[in-house]
């Protein structure tokens, strides 16, 4: 390669990298999570890891897991600005009376983080999703 070739090549690589992150920033969080297929995979991995969540699993003892899966997918889709309208019960009504503690809330966040890691969700999208979920803390816990 000529002496001029290398800087040109580097500039091209840097430009391509910028274009990539720009596109990601412009897209919705839904898109960055991988759309419908991405969110379904995240929820399926969440359910897989929930089995090992000793702190919170007992609360799901009487839960219809098929319904939970469907509603959780729908909720994450809407929360991430995807093309869905959540049709389940409100967060407050769903979790009222469960006496969910901060430790239990954190354990569910950890289970979700395991799912996000399994699905290779980009770190920026992971953090953006966790931020939106953290904002729901008062509707879900310590009620
Ligand atoms: C921001 C965090 C959370 C979100 C977005 C969320 C979302 C949801 C959704 C969408 C449903 C389905 C509602 C329906 O069937 O209409 C649900 C149900 C449920 N959630 Fe959460 N949840 C969160 C945190 C938690 C935590 C921390 C726990 C326990 C430690 C928990 C325990 C449950 C249980 C046990 C059900 C099933 C209720 C039933 O059997 O009817 N959730 N949640």
């Amino acid at each position: 390669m000529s002496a001029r070739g290398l800087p040109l090549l580097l500039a091209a690589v840097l430009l391509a990298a910028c274009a990539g992150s720009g596109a990601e920033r412009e897209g919705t969080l839904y898109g960055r999570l991988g759309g419908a297929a991405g969110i379904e995979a995240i929820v399926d991995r969440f359910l897989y890891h929930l089995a090992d969540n000793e702190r919170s699993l007992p609360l799901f003892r009487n839960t219809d897991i098929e319904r939970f899966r469907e509603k959780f997918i729908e909720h994450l889709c809407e929360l991430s600005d995807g093309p869905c309208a959540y049709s389940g019960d409100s967060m407050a009504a769903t979790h009222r009376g469960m006496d969910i503690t901060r430790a239990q809330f954190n354990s569910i966040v950890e289970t979700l983080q395991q799912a996000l890691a399994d699905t290779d969700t980009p770190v920026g999208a992971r953090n953006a999703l966790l931020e939106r979920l953290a904002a729901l803390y008062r509707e879900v816990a310590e009620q």
Side-chain angles (χ1 to χ4, degrees), residues 60 68 86 89-100 139-141 143:
F60 290 87
F68 174 74
Y86 173 61
D89 300 327
S90 75
M91 288 300 94
T94 299
H95 301 94
R96 189 170 298 133
M98 288 190 201
D99 292 326
I100 294 171
E139 289 170 54
V140 169
Q143 291 199 61

Side-chain angles (χ1 to χ4, degrees), residues 18-123:
C18 286
S21 60
E24 194 176 289
R25 240 179 289 127
E26 275 161 31
T28 58
L29 177 55
Y30 173 78
R32 293 157 64 201
L33 292 170
I39 290 177
E40 273 186 35
I42 290 166
V43 169
D44 284 338
R45 293 310 291 170
F46 173 87
L47 289 172
Y48 174 84
H49 288 293
L50 185 62
D52 292 326
N53 185 336
E54 287 171 16
R55 216 183 268 274
S56 297
L57 185 63
L59 287 173
F60 290 87
R61 200 169 40 231
N62 298 319
T63 296
D64 171 348
I65 292 295
E66 263 313 304
R67 176 190 162 100
F68 174 74
R69 178 182 182 274
E70 184 193 310
K71 300 301 176 199
F72 196 29
I73 289 171
E74 218 175 74
H75 189 268
L76 290 182
C77 173
E78 189 181 270
L79 191 71
S80 61
D81 305 320
C84 312
Y86 173 61
S87 65
D89 300 327
S90 75
M91 288 300 94
T94 299
H95 301 94
R96 189 170 298 133
M98 288 190 201
D99 292 326
I100 294 171
T101 62
R102 165 71 70 180
Q104 284 176 316
F105 186 87
N106 290 345
S107 79
I108 289 291
V109 170
E110 270 168 37
T111 297
L112 189 64
Q113 278 172 321
Q114 289 174 310
L116 292 167
D118 283 357
T119 48
D120 286 328
T121 303
V123 171

